Amino acid sequence: MATRYTSALEREITDMRKQYETWVRSGEPWSLRELFSTPDCDIADYCAQFRPSEFGAQACDEVERYCRAQGIWLEPAGAHYNSMTPYLHPNPISGQRLTVIGLFNAILFWLNDTVGREKYGHLTEAGQRRARDELERLCRLLETRTASADTTPVEAATVEFLSRTDELADPRWLAGFLDSTVEHLRTAIRDQNARARGDLLTAGEYIDLRAQVSGMYPAIALCEFGRDSYLREEQLSAVGLTADLRRLRLLTAEIGALMNDMFSFEKECIADRSDFNLIPVCLLNTPGATLADAVRDAGAVVRDRIAEFRRRHDALVDRSREPALADTGLGAQLSEHLADLTACVQASWVWQLETTRYKGNSIFTENHPHPAAALADEQ
């Protein structure tokens, strides 16, 4: 149960940042690889065979051209978020579908980097009112699929996304996907920091909310759109797979969100002064904990979920190969979807290693600039 926010918590957050400054100057960097790995599964080995979509360059170019024309391309963040699309969705059947997914991602990241949870608290009161109004207009557009006469650039991009998706997607899937997107936006476009909320979430409450805020649920749904292959709830229920697949999707969302918390700790909690992140949540919910304790605890949260994901994934793969399912359309669909969920987990590691979005002075080895990139910066 959430506890009331107090000045004592404020002091702990301030002290956490002081500990960070000391650690980044003189401490030994942590290895996220070590934190996320278990004796039987090295996270780097688990992700070694991952490859982004073959349509990546084509889709990213088209999305960038469109977003620049619409005025929703961000510098320098645009290149980072655009590059994520072929990683998180490596298996679409066409460049056209990956481009639609990329447009959706561009809309969400534009919102995140202008009025999202990390930025919202830094806006003026008038800016926050505009952000809330923008959110309500966008949610109405997604719910009604009808644009207002005076569309903003991000609304115009959303209209384009809806038009393209409507041509290609299964109608029932699309309705559920849009509902999921609205639910995400209503949590993401607001200040989720403890001071603004007036309370401190427990670790469990935070993880539930973070998965929703992350946008991972719509991202997972887009895997089905990418393949043009949609799993039906009634079919899964008939063979007793609903609960197992729901849990696996939940783990996929949580791994993506919480792994990002650790990679983006400095960007969010130091640069943007946020405390809506797994590391400070672990620290603040453990009396007497240090930043080092919180990093270890947060790493364990991610590691345990990866281990559970692998175990449950393998069990579902075995189920898909049983005679009752193996030779059916559902068995084939399930196998593909399981591969997509694995790719989401692997992409969460691989893309965040390769992007320069989180690179810089860091307490994590993986966030230190690559030697080639550092040399280029010096030159």
Side-chain angles (χ1 to χ4, degrees):
M1 180 178 178
T3 57
R4 189 169 60 85
Y5 184 79
T6 64
S7 58
L9 291 177
E10 181 79 28
R11 288 193 295 272
E12 287 189 62
I13 294 169
T14 300
D15 185 60
M16 177 195 74
R17 295 191 176 110
K18 290 179 180 177
Q19 290 180 57
Y20 166 81
E21 295 298 340
T22 299
W23 192 356
V24 80
R25 284 196 307 270
S26 57
E28 185 71 21
W30 289 85
S31 166
L32 290 170
R33 179 178 180 176
E34 291 180 8
L35 288 169
F36 297 157
S37 297
T38 55
D40 66 329
C41 181
D42 182 300
I43 185 66
D45 292 342
Y46 180 65
C47 301
Q49 300 304 311
F50 175 86
R51 297 293 182 273
S53 169
E54 63 181 307
F55 304 116
Q58 167 195 340
C60 288
D61 285 349
E62 291 184 22
V63 169
E64 180 174 349
R65 280 196 298 273
Y66 181 82
C67 290
R68 286 188 183 280
Q70 286 297 122
I72 61 166
W73 183 260
L74 296 169
E75 297 289 6
H80 297 301
Y81 67 64
N82 200 25
S83 73
M84 186 193 70
T85 295
Y87 283 81
L88 199 55
H89 295 94
N91 300 313
I93 60 174
S94 70
Q96 180 187 24
R97 287 180 179 271
L98 187 63
T99 300
V100 174
I101 293 171
L103 178 55
F104 177 78
N105 288 339
I107 292 165
L108 292 195
F109 272 90
W110 185 88
L111 290 166
N112 178 73
D113 276 18
T114 56
V115 296
R117 60 186 173 82
E118 296 164 37
K119 307 297 183 182
Y120 188 92
H122 300 294
L123 298 175
T124 64
E125 187 174 335
Q128 290 182 356
R129 281 198 304 272
R130 286 194 297 272
R132 291 193 298 270
D133 179 62
E134 184 87 76
L135 168 64
E136 289 307 316
R137 285 169 59 107
L138 201 55
C139 288
R140 271 199 310 275
L141 171 56
L142 293 169
E143 289 166 340
T144 65
R145 306 188 209 179
T146 302
S148 57
D150 55 338
T151 56
T152 63
V154 74
E155 286 177 279
T158 304
V159 170
E160 179 67 19
F161 167 76
L162 289 170
S163 174
R164 296 188 190 193
T165 311
D166 195 50
E167 290 179 8
L168 297 170
D170 173 83
R172 184 156 49 150
W173 173 88
L174 181 56
F177 169 78
L178 295 179
D179 287 344
S180 176
T181 300
V182 168
E183 191 173 355
H184 157 65
L185 289 174
R186 292 197 186 282
T187 59
I189 313 302
R190 58 166 291 187
D191 189 345
Q192 293 285 8
N193 289 315
R195 178 197 284 270
R197 292 179 55 86
D199 59 31
L200 169 66
L201 298 170
T202 66
E205 290 168 335
Y206 170 78
I207 290 167
D208 288 345
L209 180 57
R210 180 68 179 93
Q212 190 60 253
V213 167
S214 71
M216 282 297 296
Y217 292 122
I220 290 168
L222 282 167
C223 293
E224 295 179 81
F225 170 79
R227 287 192 186 267
D228 197 26
S229 176
Y230 309 94
L231 288 163
R232 298 300 189 198
E233 189 73 21
E234 60 271 18
Q235 290 179 301
L236 294 168
S237 179
V239 293
L241 291 176
T242 301
D244 290 334
L245 187 58
R246 182 181 298 125
R247 178 63 184 172
L248 197 66
R249 286 168 168 167
L250 171 66
L251 288 167
T252 304
E254 290 181 350
I255 291 167
L258 301 176
M259 194 182 286
N260 175 257
D261 271 6
M262 300 197 70
F263 273 100
S264 64
F265 169 71
E266 276 108 353
K267 178 182 177 297
E268 295 180 0
C269 300
I270 306 304
D272 284 338
R273 315 300 285 178
S274 172
D275 56 60
F276 187 75
N277 178 288
L278 182 62
I279 292 174
V281 165
C282 286
L283 185 147
L284 296 172
N285 276 285
T286 309
T290 64
L291 179 56
D293 295 327
V295 167
R296 280 191 293 267
D297 290 347
V301 169
V302 178
R303 182 178 65 244
D304 291 348
R305 278 161 174 75
I306 294 171
E308 183 183 350
F309 174 90
R310 290 175 54 242
R311 185 175 68 252
R312 288 181 176 273
H313 170 273
D314 291 350
L316 276 173
V317 167
D318 290 342
R319 285 290 310 276
S320 73
R321 293 172 178 167
E322 291 176 357
L325 277 176
D327 298 325
T328 68
L330 178 59
Q333 279 185 293
L334 181 60
S335 294
E336 289 182 341
H337 192 63
L338 293 174
D340 287 338
L341 296 182
T342 298
C344 284
V345 170
Q346 293 172 331
S348 298
W349 171 256
V350 176
W351 178 76
Q352 292 182 120
L353 280 183
E354 297 193 2
T355 182
T356 58
R357 182 171 172 83
Y358 309 117
K359 297 294 188 282
N361 243 1
S362 179
I363 59 175
F364 298 119
T365 299
E366 289 79 2
N367 277 354
H368 292 174
H370 299 313
L375 180 61
D377 288 342
E378 289 175 7
Q379 293 173 343

